[in-house]
């Protein structure tokens, strides 16, 4: 039986919706900050803990794998908890994990803290997406999800530069301390503002797993993984691309990445609107657009002004597809929306890890300048799998 939700009366939801959604956005901001700020303070961490840069870099890889593997497991273990209660528990785990990171005496403890924190990442976005979608009318679900996800993208524009500045001037531990403060503020907002959303009937774990492993949903998860792999196969190496090929200085690269972050945030919001309008057709258009932009990037990377413009447009397209993916997954897995939504973030992080590995392989065996072409290839594979989902929907009479 389909799970239904009981929310506050319409007038109350309308009144509380903006602030309730803001608390979810703030949580997404904190999570995005802890995921990416480590990149800016990596040399400081390596020097203080007496490890190599390569070893410190494993703090990034392990976090992504922790999200990919741990998030579905945590979602399964906590599936009986009410959604708001689970969201609060996740933020408490997040605060504890970053608190341990801030006082970690050695590399191994810091690694453990990063893995522990990663558990909260995917499950927070999975449950948070379900709550965000339940706060609005069906025709606004993707927009609501995109607003919550905007916290993750804004973290790249504001949170990471601020966290890096703090770490460089007050020590890297202060960066994690700042993340703890953001987590506490988000927890307070969730407790005070997010309405209680109770499931009238909870599907059994077997039924939820059956809903998760349906072939069409797995194909949608694969589509998202291709999209994320396309992004990170190029973005992971964006600094050497801009410095070695375009000829940018370090400061110019930093400013360009801020512009990329603005594009990401814009695309995330616009993508949510497009998905509410026409979900699968808009997804097909965005994947085709991404393949074309990345192919063009192989040319524009040699011309500074065109490179900057392309990076902004690429960022907008790359994140424009994710709100629609999240909503499509939740509608397919009606018996397990939170578990499926969490699994989406696992798939995206696996795409992240594969993209970074694939990009490194291409650099070694083909060349740095060829990366955009192979990113375009991965976007094309995403287009193929999204097209297969669309055709499947049409044959089944689904909208």
């Amino acid at each position: 039986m389909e799970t239904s939700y009981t929310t506050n009366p319409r007038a109350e939801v309308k009144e509380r919706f903006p602030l309730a959604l803001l608390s979810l956005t703030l949580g997404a901001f904190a999570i995005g900050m802890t995921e990416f700020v480590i990149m800016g303070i990596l040399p400081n961490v390596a020097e203080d803990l007496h490890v190599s840069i390569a070893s410190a870099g494993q703090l990034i890889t392990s976090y992504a794998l922790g999200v990919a593997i741990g998030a579905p497991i945590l979602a399964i273990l906590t599936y009986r908890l009410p959604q708001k209660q689970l969201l609060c528990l996740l933020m408490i785990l997040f605060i504890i994990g970053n608190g341990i990171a801030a006082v970690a005496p050695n590399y191994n403890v810091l690694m453990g803290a990063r893995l522990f924190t990663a558990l909260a990442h995917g499950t927070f976005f999975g449950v948070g997406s379900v709550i965000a979608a339940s706060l609005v009318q069906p025709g606004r679900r993707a927009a609501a999800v995109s607003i919550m996800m905007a916290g993750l993208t804004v973290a790249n524009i504001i949170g990471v530069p601020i966290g890096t500045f703090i770490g460089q001037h007050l020590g890297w531990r202060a960066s994690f301390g700042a993340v703890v403060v953001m987590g506490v503020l988000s927890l307070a907002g969730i407790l005070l503002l997010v309405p209680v959303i109770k499931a009238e009937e909870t599907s059994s774990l077997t039924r939820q797993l059956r809903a998760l492993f349906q072939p069409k949903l797995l194909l949608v998860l694969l589509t998202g993984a291709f999209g994320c792999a396309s992004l990170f196969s190029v973005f992971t190496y964006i600094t050497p691309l801009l410095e070695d090929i375009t000829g940018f200085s370090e400061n110019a690269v930093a400013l360009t990445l801020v512009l990329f972050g603005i594009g990401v945030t814009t695309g995330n919001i616009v993508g949510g609107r497009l998905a509410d309008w026409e979900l699968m057709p808009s997804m097909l258009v965005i994947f085709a657009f991404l393949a074309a932009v990345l192919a063009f990037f192989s040319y524009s990377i040699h011309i500074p002004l065109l490179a900057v413009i392309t990076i902004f447009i690429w960022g907008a397209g790359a994140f424009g597809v994710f709100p629609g993916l999240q909503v499509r997954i939740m509608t397919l897995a009606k018996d397990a929306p939170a578990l499926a939504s969490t699994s989406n973030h696992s798939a995206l992080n696996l795409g992240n890890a594969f993209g970074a590995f694939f990009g490194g392989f291409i650099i070694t065996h083909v060349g740095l300048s060829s990366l955009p072409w192979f990113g375009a290839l991965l976007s094309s594979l995403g287009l193929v799998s999204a097209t297969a989902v669309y055709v499947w929907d049409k044959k089944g009479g689904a909208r």
Side-chain angles (χ1 to χ4, degrees), residues 21-221:
L21 197 53
L22 179 61
S23 66
L24 298 178
T25 305
L26 185 60
F29 179 91
I31 290 175
M33 189 172 172
T34 199
E35 180 179 13
F36 298 116
V37 75
I38 187 70
M39 299 177 186
I41 58 175
L42 207 60
N44 309 76
V45 173
E47 181 180 0
D48 186 55
L49 297 182
H50 308 293
V51 296
S52 67
I53 288 290
S55 295
Q58 296 305 309
L59 296 168
I60 300 171
T61 304
S62 64
Y63 187 93
L65 292 177
V67 175
I69 299 172
I73 295 174
L74 186 61
I76 290 172
L77 294 176
T78 59
Y79 81 100
R80 290 188 180 275
L81 287 178
Q83 291 174 348
K84 180 176 178 177
Q85 183 178 336
L86 175 56
L87 208 60
C88 291
L89 173 62
L90 294 171
M91 284 312 301
I92 291 171
L93 294 179
F94 175 84
I95 293 167
I96 292 173
N98 280 286
I100 295 173
V103 298
N106 55 54
Y107 175 81
N108 290 332
V109 173
L110 181 58
M111 175 68 77
R114 293 286 289 173
L115 287 170
F116 182 81
T117 306
L119 295 176
H121 180 123
T123 313
F124 179 89
F125 281 110
V127 177
S129 296
V130 174
I131 291 178
S134 69
L135 289 171
V136 298
Q137 298 300 319
R140 298 180 60 198
R141 289 181 302 176
V145 171
S146 71
I147 291 173
M148 186 200 76
M149 295 291 293
L152 184 63
T153 60
V154 172
N156 285 280
I157 305 172
I158 301 175
V160 172
I162 291 176
T164 300
F165 179 84
I166 291 173
Q168 291 173 344
H169 291 81
L170 299 178
W172 63 268
R173 299 177 188 278
S175 297
F176 287 105
V179 173
V180 169
V181 173
M182 298 302 300
V184 171
L185 291 175
S186 175
L187 176 61
I190 292 169
L191 286 168
L192 295 173
L193 301 171
V194 173
V196 175
I197 303 174
K198 297 180 180 179
E200 294 181 351
E201 179 179 336
T202 302
S203 300
S204 67
L205 181 57
T206 301
R207 189 169 181 176
Q208 290 198 43
L209 292 174
R210 189 181 302 120
L212 177 63
F213 287 103
Q214 57 180 299
K216 187 189 290 188
L217 191 145
L218 294 176
L219 186 57
V220 176
L221 292 175

